[in-house]
Amino acid sequence: MADVRRSEDTYGEKVDRCLYNSLVNFAGGVVIGIGLSAFVFKRKMWPVILGGGIGSGMAVSSCRH
């Protein structure tokens, strides 16, 4: 008998990959923001927020495709 995949399983896998990608991109952006904040911008908060926002935006963009 053929391996039958339900549409719910396929959709669930896509959502799982999207959430994992979102977490990785957000964390990466925050880490880069912390590094820039510590070494370049004299401990300002805006590079951390900007890095998290850029990471989230990249994740949303990749989830759409």
Side-chain angles (χ1 to χ4, degrees):
M1 192 170 213
D3 184 27
V4 178
R5 294 188 62 171
R6 296 186 318 189
S7 63
E8 295 88 6
D9 294 338
T10 305
Y11 181 73
E13 289 175 4
K14 288 180 183 179
V15 170
D16 288 344
R17 279 195 311 262
C18 184
L19 290 175
Y20 177 73
N21 188 23
S22 298
L23 179 66
V24 168
N25 284 342
F26 178 76
V30 168
V31 167
I32 290 172
I34 288 172
L36 286 174
S37 176
F39 296 116
V40 178
F41 296 110
K42 306 296 182 202
R43 299 184 187 200
K44 304 284 184 194
M45 190 62 182
W46 67 266
V48 178
I49 295 169
L50 182 66
I54 290 173
S56 298
M58 288 172 46
V60 167
S61 177
S62 69
C63 284
R64 288 184 182 172
H65 296 294

